[in-house]
Amino acid sequence: MQAVLALLSDNEFHSGEELGAALGVTRAAVWKKLKKLESIGVSVHSVKGRGYRLPSPLELLSEDSLRQHGVPDEVTIKLAFETESTNGDAKRCISQGTSLPALISVERQTQGKGRRGRQWESGVAKNITFSFVWRFENGPNVVEGLSLATGVAVARVLKKIGVPNPGLKWPNDVQVDGQKICGILLEMVADQDVCHVIIGIGLNVEMDSSVMKHVDQPWTDLVSRLKSRPSRNRILAELTKELIEVCKLFEEGHGMKHFQHHWQAYDVLFNQSVTVSTVSQQRHGIARGIDQKGALLLEEHGELVALHGGEISVRRV
């Protein structure tokens, strides 16, 4: 299917005969491949006498393009058309001894997970879904607050490519004007003093509203926020470079303390009334930023309390 998408990515018409010749298959086999693409959510326009085309241009991920945009040679790049979960693939890379750091990305993720086990919707070849793997030699304590620092990295890239008003909602939602544009999910694989961290990121580039019909919160994408469609390869490369710098700083012992003020510059909850919900209770107060470990500072009855987990919702005033 990836080969068919690559041929159609220019948004021009291609006849079934032309596609078949390029792929080395019959026109009937081409038709079956196109039907399979449609079954996973890719719209293909068919016009008699002219052929097939996609409704808009499409950019597939490419290792050559990622390298041209600055992803260092020491980063292992693994690209595929489809997988269940890039975080799951990342765990296999760790167990198989793949050279790290590693970048794993796909055009379609079928069982991606967000925070609290929610499904992460990604569509096909329009958004960015990837995992970045880093090996920390100093144990799991060194990565405390890394998910928040990752949010800073994403916000910086969004600002760099021209997205106005990127914001961070504790602990790890990236928003634009109150609408979620990116999710972050970290997983650790620890073995004695060695800690492998998998940073999973899903960024909405051009999200189809039909894909998002089951999402129960406001969302947005880059195409809605920018004047022109951005390059997925460039964005993925910029994110990778930012994550390398973040992981290096944590590895050197700077940790969340270094990112505290950077994170608070993007804090969308600061000085707002919030409700912090956990499994056992709800707490109400005023959000006062984060501490040096990345905990939310909640002002309750005039006292500051540091909270290290929970689902946050902003109370409407």
Side-chain angles (χ1 to χ4, degrees):
M1 287 191 289
Q2 185 165 1
V4 179
L5 272 182
L7 292 169
L8 294 174
S9 62
D10 59 5
N11 189 221
E12 300 292 332
F13 278 106
H14 297 270
S15 69
E17 186 176 4
E18 176 190 343
L19 293 172
L23 296 171
V25 298
T26 65
R27 290 179 62 182
V30 168
W31 185 82
K32 288 181 180 178
K33 290 179 183 293
L34 293 173
K35 285 299 177 184
K36 193 166 184 180
L37 281 175
E38 290 181 331
S39 73
I40 61 173
V42 178
S43 296
V44 180
H45 292 171
S46 174
V47 176
K48 191 173 182 179
R50 300 191 69 184
Y52 307 94
R53 76 168 183 178
L54 300 179
S56 60
L58 191 113
E59 180 192 16
L60 296 176
L61 299 175
S62 151
E63 179 170 352
D64 287 344
S65 184
L66 290 169
R67 298 295 185 198
Q68 289 169 11
H69 284 295
V71 176
D73 289 339
E74 59 265 28
V75 176
T76 299
I77 296 177
K78 289 184 174 291
L79 303 177
F81 177 73
E82 180 179 280
T83 191
E84 290 184 355
S85 164
T86 58
N87 271 23
D89 291 350
K91 291 174 186 175
R92 281 187 285 276
C93 284
I94 293 169
S95 66
Q96 293 166 2
T98 299
S99 177
L100 301 178
L103 168 67
I104 300 114
S105 190
V106 293
E107 305 294 356
R108 181 182 185 235
Q109 185 175 243
T110 59
Q111 295 182 27
K113 295 297 181 185
R115 197 163 160 261
R116 296 169 71 95
R118 295 189 181 101
Q119 184 170 343
W120 182 263
E121 305 288 355
S122 61
V124 182
K126 286 190 174 183
N127 301 295
I128 293 175
T129 304
F130 75 100
S131 296
F132 181 75
V133 191
W134 189 275
R135 175 186 171 103
F136 291 91
E137 302 289 349
N138 299 322
N141 290 337
V142 73
V143 302
E144 186 173 39
L146 181 58
S147 64
L148 277 77
T150 298
V152 173
V154 174
R156 283 175 174 168
V157 170
L158 295 184
K159 201 167 185 179
K160 183 175 183 178
I161 65 174
V163 175
N165 305 318
L168 299 173
K169 179 185 174 185
W170 189 88
N172 55 9
D173 278 359
V174 185
Q175 301 182 342
V176 179
D177 296 331
Q179 297 176 312
K180 186 170 180 176
I181 197 168
C182 177
I184 298 165
L185 179 65
L186 262 66
E187 296 187 69
M188 287 194 299
V189 180
D191 181 15
Q192 296 180 343
D193 292 334
V194 175
C195 177
H196 294 92
V197 175
I198 302 167
I199 302 173
I201 293 178
L203 175 64
N204 299 342
V205 178
E206 185 179 8
M207 188 60 78
D208 188 335
S209 58
S210 65
V211 173
M212 300 294 280
K213 61 186 177 182
H214 300 302
V215 176
D216 60 356
Q217 60 180 306
W219 60 272
T220 188
D221 58 19
L222 293 182
V223 168
S224 303
R225 300 289 172 168
L226 298 172
K227 294 179 181 179
S228 60
R229 181 179 285 103
S231 163
R232 294 168 69 229
N233 282 289
R234 182 204 167 192
I235 294 168
L236 182 53
E238 294 293 343
L239 287 168
T240 302
K241 290 185 286 184
E242 282 282 351
L243 291 177
I244 291 170
E245 294 307 309
V246 168
C247 289
K248 283 182 177 178
L249 285 166
F250 271 75
E251 193 172 63
E252 293 164 3
H254 299 287
M256 191 57 208
K257 182 179 179 180
H258 174 86
F259 289 94
Q260 181 184 11
H261 296 297
H262 297 282
W263 194 93
Q264 290 185 160
Y266 295 105
D267 185 1
V268 300
L269 296 180
F270 186 66
N271 284 345
Q272 292 197 50
S273 297
V274 298
T275 298
V276 182
S277 302
T278 64
V279 174
S280 58
Q281 63 177 338
Q282 284 191 339
R283 305 180 74 153
H284 307 282
I286 308 296
R288 299 299 190 194
I290 59 173
D291 67 12
Q292 293 183 355
K293 295 182 178 180
L296 174 71
L297 296 176
L298 185 71
E299 183 180 325
E300 283 183 307
H301 312 298
E303 294 185 4
L304 276 183
V305 180
L307 302 176
H308 295 270
E311 179 84 358
I312 285 192
S313 58
V314 179
R315 182 197 307 159
R316 294 184 180 182
V317 178

